[in-house]
Amino acid sequence: MANWLWPTALLLAALLDLPAAQAGTSICNDTEALHQLAVTLRADGRWVVKGWQQLIPGACAEPVPEGYQGRFFYFRAESPGYRFRDDSVRFCTGQGRFRIEDGSDCSTQGYAEQGFAKAVTGPDQQQILLSTRSKPERRKAAVAAAGDGHDATEDEFHYAAEVVFQGCEQQKSPGAVTCRFVGGGMEIGAVGKVRISDPVFTFLLGLVRGTPLAIDGEIVTRFGSFAELDLHSVTPRSPNRFDKMLQHMQGEWRSVQNPKDRIVISGAVRQVRYGGRQMTPEFITIQQSCRGMEFSGDFLMAWDRQSGTRLCYRIKSLTGDGMTLIYMPRGTRLDYERVPGG
């Protein structure tokens, strides 16, 4: 990134090609390090990412132009030795000064895909302090918990849970992989290296999707039903009753009421297909409760990361050839039959 130095927030806003707001949201660098800032705003119906601009210690930037109609904007700040806590909303970024419209294919155009933090716009003046998002990697001090307004200690970011393994993907960087898990109504992602000194990810690459695991680590980012984990350990576990039910659901199912309606369950992901058209994949878990409703039984909970909508079904019956779900709370009965070979 280019080493520019802009002494005032006004110059920074000018370089972002955005007029400074009179009394809007400002991003202030209250850390001890120089940061590079990128901002994503809505323009002509599309998200546009602009960066990188320097934000020196003590300086503030006002990235939202006067008259901006969007309710939200996104930003990312980087500095060597610091880790940025994003909200798992990803946009393309480039080197030096750049302007990228959302929808670009990051990898084919030489861009990097990085996580951004979400911020709410408003008529009243408000400040976003970089220290709430950018932390020195050598220090694990208390940070502001996203969305709840209280101070969180290091212990609150410890995460240990029983999950279902959802597979790993090789990244462009040599040896880098991203592995995913589903458990407790959340999707969990972990990024690491395949190397002899750290066998965790080497072990994960040899697992089959749907394998029951116990994981332990530290939450780096949490947004809605998604969390990014600094993974410390992975332990195989014996399948419990819910694991066995989920394994029994694997494969393709066809609706008895409407044969055009089909679902495919792979690991802890459900893909709904209607008349050949694929809907947004949903993550699923099987549990004993249904969003606090006073019902007894076993329930299938489904949700997707994009909308955050959660659907709950009581599992009335499950056999090798058939499955009956009751959509809650309406009580709608949904009968499925297994597709041969599915």
Side-chain angles (χ1 to χ4, degrees), residues 67-71 121:
Y68 180 66
Q69 298 300 311
R71 292 180 56 199
T121 60

Side-chain angles (χ1 to χ4, degrees), residues 224-268:
S225 59
F226 175 82
E228 182 179 347
L229 196 68
D230 183 2
L231 191 60
H232 297 167
S233 67
V234 174
T235 306
R237 60 181 176 83
S238 299
N240 57 34
R241 183 167 61 89
F242 295 145
D243 294 322
K244 293 176 181 178
M245 293 177 70
L246 183 60
Q247 290 172 358
H248 211 55
M249 289 182 177
Q250 300 296 298
E252 185 173 3
W253 300 81
R254 176 174 53 219
S255 169
V256 174
Q257 288 90 346
N258 186 351
K260 290 184 179 180
D261 183 11
R262 300 192 176 201
I263 58 175
V264 176
I265 297 178
S266 176

Side-chain angles (χ1 to χ4, degrees), residues 131-201:
S131 64
T132 64
R133 291 287 182 173
S134 186
K135 290 290 179 181
E137 292 183 337
R138 65 182 180 274
R139 183 182 67 190
K140 293 184 177 180
V143 298
D148 58 14
H150 76 279
D151 286 338
T153 64
E154 183 179 339
D155 289 341
E156 289 183 81
F157 289 91
H158 177 255
Y159 184 85
E162 293 187 347
V163 297
V164 175
F165 178 59
Q166 202 55 39
C168 295
E169 296 179 358
Q170 298 275 1
Q171 302 300 309
K172 284 192 172 182
S173 176
V177 294
T178 298
C179 299
R180 301 194 180 279
F181 315 86
V182 175
M186 290 182 61
E187 177 201 3
I188 302 154
V191 179
K193 289 274 191 179
V194 178
R195 53 193 175 193
I196 297 176
S197 60
D198 185 5
V200 171
F201 288 90

Side-chain angles (χ1 to χ4, degrees), residues 89-140:
V89 181
R90 306 185 76 81
F91 295 99
C92 297
T93 60
Q95 295 184 350
R97 188 182 180 188
F98 67 86
R99 181 185 187 278
I100 305 171
E101 291 189 2
D102 185 31
S104 301
D105 189 332
C106 300
S107 59
T108 60
Q109 299 188 40
Y111 300 137
E113 188 180 44
Q114 294 182 285
F116 279 63
K118 183 178 182 180
V120 180
T121 60
D124 300 326
Q125 188 172 6
Q126 58 178 327
Q127 281 191 349
I128 299 172
L129 301 180
L130 278 190
S131 64
T132 64
R133 291 287 182 173
S134 186
K135 290 290 179 181
E137 292 183 337
R138 65 182 180 274
R139 183 182 67 190
K140 293 184 177 180

Side-chain angles (χ1 to χ4, degrees), residues 47 207 250 262 323 327:
W47 290 106
L207 296 183
Q250 300 296 298
R262 300 192 176 201
M323 174 172 59
Y327 176 59

